[in-house]
Amino acid sequence: MAVRCLTRALRSLTVSQPALLSSQAVAQTMLGAQVCVSVPSTVGQCRGFLTTASLQQNRTLWKQKEKYTIKPIGMKKTGGRDHTGRVRTHGIGGGHKQKYRWIDFQRLRYEPNVEVQPFEEKVVEVRYDPCRSADIALVAGGDRKRWIIATENMKAGDIIKTSGVIGRMAVSANEGDAYPLGALPVGTLVNNLEIQPGKGSQYIRAAGTSGVLLRKVNGTAIVQLPSKRQVQVLETCVVTVGRVSNIDHNKEIIGKAGRNRWFGVRPSSGLWQRKGGWAGRKIKPLPPMKNYVNLPSISAN
Protein backbone atom coordinates (compact mmCIF):
# COMPACT_ATOMS: atom_id res chain seq x y z
CA MET A 1 0.00 0.00 0.00
CA ALA A 2 2.79 2.39 0.89
CA VAL A 3 4.68 1.63 -2.32
CA ARG A 4 1.53 2.21 -4.39
CA CYS A 5 0.92 5.65 -2.83
CA LEU A 6 4.56 6.61 -3.33
CA THR A 7 4.36 5.58 -7.00
CA ARG A 8 1.28 7.75 -7.57
CA ALA A 9 2.89 10.76 -5.92
CA LEU A 10 6.06 10.43 -8.02
CA ARG A 11 3.98 10.05 -11.18
CA SER A 12 2.14 13.29 -10.41
CA LEU A 13 5.43 15.05 -9.81
CA THR A 14 6.68 13.85 -13.21
CA VAL A 15 3.63 15.19 -15.10
CA SER A 16 3.61 18.57 -13.39
CA GLN A 17 7.16 19.82 -13.73
CA PRO A 18 7.19 22.48 -10.97
CA ALA A 19 7.81 21.14 -7.50
CA LEU A 20 4.41 21.80 -5.97
CA LEU A 21 4.69 19.41 -3.05
CA SER A 22 5.89 20.74 0.26
CA SER A 23 8.25 18.89 2.55
CA GLN A 24 5.32 17.65 4.63
CA ALA A 25 3.74 15.93 1.62
CA VAL A 26 6.70 13.63 0.91
CA ALA A 27 5.66 10.02 1.39
CA GLN A 28 7.37 8.55 4.41
CA THR A 29 7.93 4.89 3.81
CA MET A 30 9.60 2.85 6.49
CA LEU A 31 10.53 -0.74 6.29
CA GLY A 32 7.50 -2.74 7.41
CA ALA A 33 5.38 0.35 8.08
CA GLN A 34 2.00 0.54 6.36
CA VAL A 35 1.86 4.37 6.27
CA CYS A 36 0.75 6.51 3.31
CA VAL A 37 0.73 10.32 3.44
CA SER A 38 -2.07 11.87 1.38
CA VAL A 39 -1.10 13.98 -1.63
CA PRO A 40 -2.26 17.63 -1.57
CA SER A 41 -5.25 18.57 -3.71
CA THR A 42 -3.14 20.89 -5.89
CA VAL A 43 -1.74 17.91 -7.72
CA GLY A 44 -5.24 16.88 -8.75
CA GLN A 45 -6.24 13.30 -8.04
CA CYS A 46 -2.81 11.92 -9.07
CA ARG A 47 -3.66 12.63 -12.75
CA GLY A 48 -1.49 15.70 -13.27
CA PHE A 49 -2.56 18.85 -15.12
CA LEU A 50 -1.63 20.81 -18.24
CA THR A 51 1.13 23.38 -17.94
CA THR A 52 2.49 25.90 -20.42
CA ALA A 53 5.46 23.67 -21.18
CA SER A 54 3.30 20.63 -21.94
CA LEU A 55 0.96 22.69 -24.15
CA GLN A 56 3.88 24.03 -26.17
CA GLN A 57 5.18 20.49 -26.70
CA ASN A 58 1.77 19.49 -28.08
CA ARG A 59 1.75 22.24 -30.73
CA THR A 60 3.13 21.89 -34.23
CA LEU A 61 5.00 25.11 -34.93
CA TRP A 62 4.23 25.09 -38.64
CA LYS A 63 4.09 28.88 -38.74
CA GLN A 64 7.75 29.09 -37.73
CA LYS A 65 9.12 27.02 -40.60
CA GLU A 66 11.75 28.86 -42.62
CA LYS A 67 12.16 26.73 -45.74
CA TYR A 68 9.17 26.82 -48.07
CA THR A 69 7.56 23.52 -49.01
CA ILE A 70 4.53 22.48 -51.05
CA LYS A 71 4.02 19.33 -48.99
CA PRO A 72 1.02 19.30 -46.64
CA ILE A 73 2.03 20.21 -43.09
CA GLY A 74 0.43 18.47 -40.15
CA MET A 75 -1.59 20.55 -37.70
CA LYS A 76 -2.96 19.83 -34.26
CA LYS A 77 -6.29 21.08 -32.99
CA THR A 78 -6.26 23.99 -30.56
CA GLY A 79 -9.83 23.71 -29.32
CA GLY A 80 -9.96 27.52 -29.23
CA ARG A 81 -7.26 27.61 -26.55
CA ASP A 82 -4.14 29.76 -26.45
CA HIS A 83 -0.67 28.87 -25.16
CA THR A 84 -1.83 29.08 -21.53
CA GLY A 85 -4.54 26.45 -22.04
CA ARG A 86 -7.47 28.81 -21.51
CA VAL A 87 -10.34 29.03 -23.98
CA ARG A 88 -10.04 32.25 -25.97
CA THR A 89 -12.53 31.49 -28.74
CA HIS A 90 -15.69 29.56 -27.97
CA GLY A 91 -17.41 27.22 -30.39
CA ILE A 92 -14.22 25.50 -31.64
CA GLY A 93 -13.40 21.85 -31.08
CA GLY A 94 -13.22 18.44 -32.72
CA GLY A 95 -13.65 18.08 -36.45
CA HIS A 96 -11.89 16.14 -39.15
CA LYS A 97 -8.11 16.07 -39.19
CA GLN A 98 -6.67 18.71 -41.54
CA LYS A 99 -3.33 19.47 -43.11
CA TYR A 100 -2.08 22.94 -43.95
CA ARG A 101 -0.78 23.85 -47.40
CA TRP A 102 1.60 26.79 -47.31
CA ILE A 103 0.16 29.57 -49.49
CA ASP A 104 2.57 32.08 -50.99
CA PHE A 105 0.61 35.32 -50.73
CA GLN A 106 3.47 37.35 -52.23
CA ARG A 107 2.98 36.87 -55.96
CA LEU A 108 5.88 39.11 -56.98
CA ARG A 109 8.59 36.91 -55.47
CA TYR A 110 11.63 36.56 -57.71
CA GLU A 111 13.79 33.48 -57.65
CA PRO A 112 17.25 33.89 -56.12
CA ASN A 113 20.11 34.61 -58.54
CA VAL A 114 17.63 35.37 -61.33
CA GLU A 115 17.33 38.65 -63.25
CA VAL A 116 14.50 40.84 -62.00
CA GLN A 117 12.00 40.80 -64.85
CA PRO A 118 8.41 39.64 -65.53
CA PHE A 119 8.04 35.87 -65.36
CA GLU A 120 5.42 33.26 -66.25
CA GLU A 121 4.20 30.22 -64.34
CA LYS A 122 2.11 27.23 -65.35
CA VAL A 123 -0.86 25.99 -63.33
CA VAL A 124 -0.28 22.34 -62.41
CA GLU A 125 -3.52 21.67 -60.52
CA VAL A 126 -6.44 23.41 -58.82
CA ARG A 127 -7.76 21.73 -55.69
CA TYR A 128 -9.83 22.11 -52.54
CA ASP A 129 -8.16 23.47 -49.41
CA PRO A 130 -9.64 22.54 -46.00
CA CYS A 131 -8.12 25.60 -44.33
CA ARG A 132 -9.88 28.28 -46.41
CA SER A 133 -13.05 28.88 -48.40
CA ALA A 134 -11.31 29.47 -51.75
CA ASP A 135 -9.64 26.87 -53.94
CA ILE A 136 -5.87 26.86 -54.29
CA ALA A 137 -3.64 26.30 -57.32
CA LEU A 138 -0.22 24.72 -57.58
CA VAL A 139 1.90 26.72 -60.03
CA ALA A 140 5.37 25.92 -61.34
CA GLY A 141 7.92 28.16 -63.00
CA GLY A 142 11.69 28.11 -63.21
CA ASP A 143 13.11 25.92 -60.44
CA ARG A 144 10.26 26.17 -57.97
CA LYS A 145 6.67 25.26 -57.21
CA ARG A 146 4.28 27.09 -54.90
CA TRP A 147 0.65 27.29 -53.82
CA ILE A 148 -1.41 30.40 -54.61
CA ILE A 149 -5.07 31.41 -54.31
CA ALA A 150 -6.90 30.30 -57.47
CA THR A 151 -9.09 32.66 -59.46
CA GLU A 152 -12.59 31.96 -60.78
CA ASN A 153 -11.79 30.34 -64.15
CA MET A 154 -8.27 29.11 -63.43
CA LYS A 155 -7.61 25.52 -64.51
CA ALA A 156 -4.68 23.18 -64.99
CA GLY A 157 -2.49 24.09 -67.95
CA ASP A 158 -3.07 27.86 -67.82
CA ILE A 159 -0.10 30.21 -68.08
CA ILE A 160 -0.19 33.14 -65.64
CA LYS A 161 2.10 36.15 -65.74
CA THR A 162 3.54 38.18 -62.87
CA SER A 163 5.15 41.58 -63.41
CA GLY A 164 6.27 44.48 -61.25
CA VAL A 165 6.65 47.00 -64.08
CA ILE A 166 4.43 50.09 -64.32
CA GLY A 167 4.45 51.38 -67.89
CA ARG A 168 3.12 54.53 -69.45
CA MET A 169 0.09 52.73 -70.87
CA ALA A 170 -2.25 50.47 -68.93
CA VAL A 171 -1.84 46.77 -69.66
CA SER A 172 -4.56 44.43 -70.87
CA ALA A 173 -4.20 41.74 -68.23
CA ASN A 174 -5.81 38.32 -68.26
CA GLU A 175 -7.49 36.65 -65.31
CA GLY A 176 -4.93 35.23 -62.90
CA ASP A 177 -2.15 37.64 -63.85
CA ALA A 178 -0.55 39.77 -61.15
CA TYR A 179 0.44 43.39 -61.71
CA PRO A 180 0.96 46.54 -59.65
CA LEU A 181 -2.16 48.67 -59.31
CA GLY A 182 -0.51 51.45 -61.29
CA ALA A 183 -0.21 49.21 -64.36
CA LEU A 184 -3.91 48.25 -64.53
CA PRO A 185 -6.74 50.26 -66.10
CA VAL A 186 -9.43 51.82 -63.92
CA GLY A 187 -12.42 49.55 -63.35
CA THR A 188 -10.46 46.29 -63.24
CA LEU A 189 -11.72 43.55 -60.92
CA VAL A 190 -8.91 42.60 -58.56
CA ASN A 191 -8.26 40.29 -55.62
CA ASN A 192 -5.42 39.41 -53.23
CA LEU A 193 -4.65 43.05 -52.52
CA GLU A 194 -1.43 44.17 -50.84
CA ILE A 195 -1.56 47.12 -48.47
CA GLN A 196 2.22 47.45 -48.29
CA PRO A 197 4.51 46.68 -51.24
CA GLY A 198 6.31 43.40 -50.77
CA LYS A 199 4.38 42.31 -47.68
CA GLY A 200 1.97 39.96 -49.44
CA SER A 201 -1.76 40.10 -49.98
CA GLN A 202 -3.99 40.71 -46.97
CA TYR A 203 -7.33 41.81 -48.46
CA ILE A 204 -9.88 40.13 -50.80
CA ARG A 205 -8.85 36.51 -50.28
CA ALA A 206 -12.19 34.84 -49.43
CA ALA A 207 -14.10 32.68 -51.91
CA GLY A 208 -15.97 34.55 -54.65
CA THR A 209 -14.84 38.03 -53.58
CA SER A 210 -13.38 40.79 -55.73
CA GLY A 211 -12.54 44.48 -55.47
CA VAL A 212 -12.67 47.29 -58.01
CA LEU A 213 -9.87 49.67 -58.93
CA LEU A 214 -11.71 53.01 -58.76
CA ARG A 215 -9.04 55.61 -59.54
CA LYS A 216 -5.34 56.44 -59.42
CA VAL A 217 -4.16 59.65 -57.78
CA ASN A 218 -0.55 60.93 -57.43
CA GLY A 219 1.20 57.60 -57.19
CA THR A 220 -1.57 55.98 -55.17
CA ALA A 221 -4.55 53.80 -56.05
CA ILE A 222 -8.01 53.63 -54.48
CA VAL A 223 -9.66 50.20 -54.37
CA GLN A 224 -13.20 49.39 -53.31
CA LEU A 225 -13.35 46.29 -51.10
CA PRO A 226 -16.21 43.74 -51.18
CA SER A 227 -17.62 45.50 -48.09
CA LYS A 228 -17.91 48.71 -50.18
CA ARG A 229 -15.23 50.34 -48.08
CA GLN A 230 -12.48 52.15 -49.97
CA VAL A 231 -8.77 51.86 -49.21
CA GLN A 232 -5.92 53.95 -50.56
CA VAL A 233 -2.59 52.21 -51.12
CA LEU A 234 0.55 52.84 -53.11
CA GLU A 235 0.33 52.08 -56.81
CA THR A 236 3.27 49.66 -56.47
CA CYS A 237 1.13 47.24 -54.43
CA VAL A 238 0.60 44.03 -56.40
CA VAL A 239 -2.87 42.56 -57.01
CA THR A 240 -4.26 39.60 -58.94
CA VAL A 241 -6.72 40.22 -61.76
CA GLY A 242 -10.19 38.64 -61.54
CA ARG A 243 -12.40 37.10 -58.83
CA VAL A 244 -11.42 34.52 -56.25
CA SER A 245 -12.45 30.95 -57.02
CA ASN A 246 -15.37 28.95 -55.54
CA ILE A 247 -17.95 31.66 -56.18
CA ASP A 248 -20.84 29.44 -55.00
CA HIS A 249 -19.41 29.02 -51.53
CA ASN A 250 -22.10 31.23 -49.95
CA LYS A 251 -24.83 29.05 -51.48
CA GLU A 252 -23.55 25.85 -49.91
CA ILE A 253 -26.11 24.03 -47.74
CA ILE A 254 -24.71 22.38 -44.63
CA GLY A 255 -27.62 19.94 -44.46
CA LYS A 256 -27.31 18.74 -40.88
CA ALA A 257 -25.77 19.68 -37.56
CA GLY A 258 -23.26 16.85 -37.74
CA ARG A 259 -21.54 18.36 -40.76
CA ASN A 260 -20.75 21.48 -38.75
CA ARG A 261 -19.04 19.19 -36.24
CA TRP A 262 -16.94 17.77 -39.08
CA PHE A 263 -15.76 21.33 -39.72
CA GLY A 264 -14.80 21.76 -36.06
CA VAL A 265 -17.72 24.08 -35.21
CA ARG A 266 -19.39 23.32 -31.89
CA PRO A 267 -23.00 24.27 -31.16
CA SER A 268 -23.92 27.23 -29.01
CA SER A 269 -25.32 26.82 -25.53
CA GLY A 270 -28.95 27.16 -26.68
CA LEU A 271 -29.72 29.66 -23.94
CA TRP A 272 -32.49 32.00 -25.11
CA GLN A 273 -31.45 35.64 -24.97
CA ARG A 274 -33.62 38.62 -25.86
CA LYS A 275 -32.41 40.52 -28.89
CA GLY A 276 -31.42 44.10 -28.28
CA GLY A 277 -31.14 47.12 -30.52
CA TRP A 278 -28.24 45.62 -32.44
CA ALA A 279 -30.61 43.16 -34.15
CA GLY A 280 -32.66 45.73 -36.09
CA ARG A 281 -32.03 47.03 -39.58
CA LYS A 282 -29.88 50.13 -39.80
CA ILE A 283 -28.94 52.42 -42.62
CA LYS A 284 -25.45 53.65 -41.89
CA PRO A 285 -23.18 55.78 -44.04
CA LEU A 286 -20.13 54.15 -45.54
CA PRO A 287 -17.03 54.29 -43.34
CA PRO A 288 -14.36 56.79 -44.35
CA MET A 289 -11.63 55.77 -46.76
CA LYS A 290 -8.75 53.98 -45.04
CA ASN A 291 -5.31 55.26 -45.95
CA TYR A 292 -2.25 53.00 -45.98
CA VAL A 293 0.03 55.37 -47.89
CA ASN A 294 1.81 56.88 -44.91
CA LEU A 295 2.89 53.53 -43.48
CA PRO A 296 6.64 52.74 -43.74
CA SER A 297 7.55 50.36 -46.53
CA ILE A 298 8.37 46.78 -45.57
CA SER A 299 11.58 46.95 -47.64
CA ALA A 300 12.89 49.93 -45.65
CA ASN A 301 13.35 47.88 -42.46
Side-chain angles (χ1 to χ4, degrees), residues 73-93:
I73 304 172
M75 293 192 308
K76 290 191 176 181
K77 301 288 184 178
T78 62
R81 291 165 173 81
D82 60 0
H83 65 282
T84 63
R86 297 183 178 181
V87 176
R88 294 302 180 191
T89 305
H90 293 271
I92 297 178

Side-chain angles (χ1 to χ4, degrees), residues 210-228:
S210 64
V212 181
L213 176 59
L214 296 181
R215 56 188 180 275
K216 296 180 282 187
V217 180
N218 296 331
T220 64
I222 298 175
V223 180
Q224 185 180 31
L225 302 180
S227 62
K228 306 304 179 184

Side-chain angles (χ1 to χ4, degrees), residues 2-157:
V3 176
R4 186 182 304 171
C5 292
L6 180 60
T7 304
R8 289 181 178 179
L10 291 177
R11 188 182 304 164
S12 301
L13 284 174
T14 305
V15 175
S16 56
Q17 296 178 358
L20 296 178
L21 297 180
S22 61
S23 59
Q24 298 178 356
V26 178
Q28 301 176 356
T29 56
M30 300 177 60
L31 190 61
Q34 303 293 330
V35 180
C36 176
V37 180
S38 61
V39 181
S41 59
T42 54
V43 176
Q45 302 284 331
C46 296
R47 293 194 312 175
F49 53 90
L50 292 176
T51 61
T52 304
S54 61
L55 284 171
Q56 290 294 342
Q57 292 173 2
N58 194 36
R59 297 290 175 85
T60 302
L61 301 180
W62 52 272
K63 288 187 177 180
Q64 299 181 6
K65 290 182 177 291
E66 297 181 357
K67 186 177 180 180
Y68 182 82
T69 177
I70 62 173
K71 295 181 179 180
I73 304 172
M75 293 192 308
K76 290 191 176 181
K77 301 288 184 178
T78 62
R81 291 165 173 81
D82 60 0
H83 65 282
T84 63
R86 297 183 178 181
V87 176
R88 294 302 180 191
T89 305
H90 293 271
I92 297 178
H96 199 283
K97 186 176 291 186
Q98 299 174 343
K99 289 190 175 181
Y100 180 79
R101 288 158 182 85
W102 194 339
I103 308 298
D104 189 2
F105 290 107
Q106 187 178 348
R107 278 289 298 268
L108 190 62
R109 188 188 299 273
Y110 298 103
E111 294 186 65
N113 304 324
V114 176
E115 184 180 357
V116 177
Q117 60 182 0
F119 56 90
E120 293 182 347
E121 293 172 300
K122 184 177 181 179
V123 179
V124 179
E125 67 168 323
V126 178
R127 58 154 293 155
Y128 165 79
D129 187 8
C131 297
R132 66 194 72 252
S133 59
D135 295 335
I136 59 176
L138 180 64
V139 297
D143 297 331
R144 68 178 179 183
K145 293 182 180 179
R146 58 178 180 167
W147 292 104
I148 64 171
I149 300 293
T151 54
E152 180 180 1
N153 299 314
M154 186 177 290
K155 60 184 183 298

Side-chain angles (χ1 to χ4, degrees), residues 152-163:
E152 180 180 1
N153 299 314
M154 186 177 290
K155 60 184 183 298
D158 291 348
I159 303 297
I160 57 176
K161 184 178 180 180
T162 304
S163 174

